[in-house]
Amino acid sequence: KNYIHFKFHGGGAAINRRVRRINFLVEVLSGLDFRTHTQGDLLVARLDKYEHDFIQTRLSDLGRLTMCVRQLDMLMDSDVRASALAQAFLRSDFSKF
């Protein structure tokens, strides 16, 4: 019965940048096996029924993701950049953040 429920919403940037940040998060979280649901700049993601060790690994990934995404909406000047940053995160290339 191991699961993770993750919710992300809001920010200080313009709505288009916040939505791009949500798109970044969806791409990353989907790459990490999460199911995602979005509405505007709200994201809800779930990971259900995985083994304990896998859940622990994903919790570590969420910690790194939270650190990287905190002010990321300010950098989201294009859809291409959001996707490029998502791919960098999934490759563990944290120098981009």
Side-chain angles (χ1 to χ4, degrees), residues 11-29:
I15 186 67
N16 61 332
R17 290 177 183 254
R18 293 193 321 260
V19 169
R20 286 185 187 123
R21 180 173 58 182
I22 292 298
N23 293 339
F24 160 84
L25 285 166
V26 166
E27 189 169 342
V28 169
L29 291 169

Side-chain angles (χ1 to χ4, degrees), residues 26-87:
V26 166
E27 189 169 342
V28 169
L29 291 169
S30 295
L32 297 174
D33 303 314
F34 282 80
R35 287 181 296 116
T36 61
H37 173 74
T38 63
Q39 185 174 359
D41 68 342
L42 168 67
L43 163 73
V44 177
R46 286 191 62 88
L47 191 63
D48 293 314
K49 299 181 182 175
Y50 282 88
E51 295 297 321
H52 179 265
D53 292 341
F54 186 80
I55 292 289
Q56 280 191 312
T57 300
R58 288 301 179 250
L59 285 171
S60 294
D61 293 333
L62 278 179
R64 280 188 288 282
L65 184 59
T66 301
M67 290 173 47
C68 290
V69 80
R70 184 163 169 81
Q71 299 295 321
L72 203 57
D73 56 346
M74 301 300 179
L75 299 176
M76 294 294 175
D77 54 358
S78 72
D79 295 337
V80 172
R81 186 159 193 188
S83 185
L85 286 169
Q87 291 305 309

